[in-house]
Amino acid sequence: MALSLRNTEQSLKTKAEDCFEYEDYACARIRWQELIKMQPKNVEYHQALKNVGKAVEDETIMDYLDQSQACIEAKDYPCAYLFLNKAQVLNTQHLRVISVETVLKDIKDRSAQVSARRQQQILTLLASSEKCLTEQEYDCAVTQADNVLRLNSH
């Protein structure tokens, strides 16, 4: 009986390892849980089950970040932040999470700089338009106002 139990245990262990190797984490989790029921104090089995959980987490994070990257490429930044936030819930220290976070921060910073430059251009054009009005150069005022509208529409 003991030999049969040992063979069953070895067979389950081999199946669990194979499942993990083929990234079938549900299968691996079930097999390691069965082994833990057979050998509750076996540290190797508990560690293997932890490794399955970590692999599932990493896979989920990578899926979220792939989706975030696709959103970045489509210039859909709210979407990119949504998937980044989902990945951050799982692990803020994951290297790829930090990388995507940095990319989005850089995009946000560049956008803020462009917006600030555009705002400054608009203020300059408005001041120029007001000067034209003060000097009763109405064609100049209209041209400057049109330039403001053109800049403001971007």
Side-chain angles (χ1 to χ4, degrees):
M1 184 70 176
L3 185 59
S4 174
L5 188 59
R6 192 169 296 135
N7 287 342
T8 301
E9 186 177 340
Q10 186 56 47
S11 174
L12 268 175
K13 182 179 177 187
T14 300
K15 287 178 184 173
E17 290 167 343
D18 288 347
C19 291
F20 188 81
E21 183 178 329
Y22 292 110
E23 298 179 4
D24 184 349
Y25 301 124
C27 168
R29 176 176 281 129
I30 290 167
R31 301 293 180 255
W32 288 117
Q33 287 171 339
E34 290 173 7
L35 284 161
I36 289 170
K37 284 180 188 173
M38 295 172 77
Q39 296 287 332
K41 294 181 182 181
N42 187 309
V43 175
E44 175 190 358
Y45 297 167
H46 284 279
Q47 186 58 49
L49 185 58
K50 262 187 181 178
N51 292 343
V52 170
K54 176 76 172 114
V56 169
E57 180 182 277
D58 284 347
E59 186 175 69
T60 303
I61 288 170
M62 296 306 279
D63 287 345
Y64 286 147
L65 295 175
D66 287 345
Q67 290 172 312
S68 183
Q69 191 62 44
C71 295
I72 290 169
E73 290 168 13
K75 298 187 186 313
D76 184 351
Y77 302 117
C79 168
Y81 276 107
L82 172 77
F83 286 108
L84 172 62
N85 290 338
K86 287 182 177 197
Q88 288 172 322
V89 166
L90 297 174
N91 185 347
T92 59
Q93 300 305 311
H94 192 283
L95 289 178
R96 189 151 174 238
V97 168
I98 294 168
S99 174
V100 171
E101 186 177 41
T102 301
V103 166
L104 284 170
K105 183 186 178 310
D106 290 347
I107 290 168
K108 186 177 180 181
D109 290 348
R110 280 193 309 271
S111 177
Q113 290 170 355
V114 167
S115 193
R117 278 194 303 272
R118 183 180 304 126
Q119 186 63 29
Q120 185 56 49
Q121 289 171 329
I122 288 171
L123 291 173
T124 301
L125 289 169
L126 283 173
S128 178
S129 179
E130 288 175 7
K131 182 178 179 212
C132 292
L133 278 175
T134 303
E135 295 173 0
Q136 297 182 350
E137 295 178 19
Y138 301 113
D139 287 340
C140 171
V142 169
T143 299
Q144 297 303 334
D146 284 344
N147 289 336
V148 168
L149 291 173
R150 202 173 304 111
L151 266 177
N152 203 31
S153 68
H154 290 111

